[in-house]
Amino acid sequence: MRAAAIPLVGALLLLPACAGTAVHDLSMAPARSQQIPGAIGVQVTLAPDIRSDPYAGKAAHRLQAELVKAYRKAGLPTSVTPDGQPSPGGAMVRVQIVRADPGNSAERLLIGFGAGRSALLTKASFKIAGQTGPAMSFSASAKDGRKPGMIVPGAIAAATGELSRLAIGSGVGLLMGRRSGLDGGAKRSAALIVKQTRQLYRASGWP
């Protein structure tokens, strides 16, 4: 039984879940001012219909932390701003999570092809202090679980709970615990939002 578990783990490592991000409904109005924002404030909130969802709450905290880290890595002074108002001479990034579906880790890793897919959908806006309306707004999605998993399609019908138990018993369970779809989605969403901010900066003539 232990020997049979080894190739299963190998299959997992060879067939990781596929992750993807996308931007929708992008609206950009390059800044009229030549002054670069001195600092960026970040606020992440939840849509009213998911405020009681514990997964969404955790995703919001993770996304907020990832945004601050990603902006600072890009060389932009950034901090969390609970009131959602940009500081004088600064800018504000407001992100609302509209959907936070953690999916199913076991299905993503064992089956794949979209089974157990996680999804983090957000709406983001970038507002510069002193300007009316956002300089940029867009919707973003971060999903994973598109690649095949450990069980190929032709064998799905023959797969049993014993196979899943065997895989988890051989260490796959630890990997699944580390691969939270929403954790990964938060990190990819933050990277995507910072990427769009870079585009706004270039369009505004800012270095």
Side-chain angles (χ1 to χ4, degrees):
M1 294 293 288
R2 291 176 61 87
I6 296 176
L8 290 174
V9 177
L12 170 66
L13 299 178
L14 290 173
L15 296 170
C18 178
T21 57
V23 171
H24 314 276
D25 305 322
L26 174 64
S27 175
M28 185 183 298
R32 294 181 297 273
S33 170
Q34 295 302 309
Q35 182 178 0
I36 302 175
I40 295 177
V42 169
Q43 181 191 49
V44 179
T45 60
L46 300 176
D49 59 332
I50 62 170
R51 285 176 184 167
S52 61
D53 184 344
Y55 290 108
K58 291 179 181 179
H61 286 295
R62 180 63 184 269
L63 177 55
Q64 192 166 260
E66 291 290 347
L67 277 170
V68 171
K69 180 170 32 174
Y71 274 119
R72 289 177 177 174
K73 186 176 180 180
L76 300 173
T78 308
S79 61
V80 175
T81 307
D83 63 4
Q85 296 301 319
S87 60
M92 187 73 206
V93 177
R94 298 190 186 95
V95 183
Q96 184 183 68
I97 296 177
V98 297
R99 182 185 173 197
D101 183 357
N104 185 297
S105 299
E107 289 182 2
R108 284 198 299 274
L109 296 178
L110 295 175
I111 300 174
F113 296 104
R117 178 183 299 178
S118 68
L120 185 65
L121 308 183
T122 58
K123 292 182 178 179
S125 66
F126 188 97
K127 190 176 187 305
I128 300 170
Q131 289 195 6
T132 58
M136 178 176 63
S137 63
F138 58 91
S139 297
S141 60
K143 301 178 181 180
D144 64 17
R146 295 181 181 178
K147 277 192 175 181
M150 293 167 56
I151 306 173
V152 297
I156 291 178
T160 65
E162 176 64 19
L163 179 59
S164 298
R165 187 198 64 76
L166 180 62
I168 293 173
S170 63
V172 174
L174 295 177
L175 290 176
M176 288 192 294
R178 294 174 184 172
R179 290 192 176 188
S180 166
L182 291 181
D183 281 351
K187 187 172 185 176
R188 293 192 301 275
S189 294
L192 184 61
I193 292 170
V194 173
K195 179 180 178 180
Q196 293 302 127
T197 302
R198 289 178 183 274
Q199 292 184 7
L200 174 64
Y201 271 47
R202 284 195 294 267
S204 300
W206 297 335

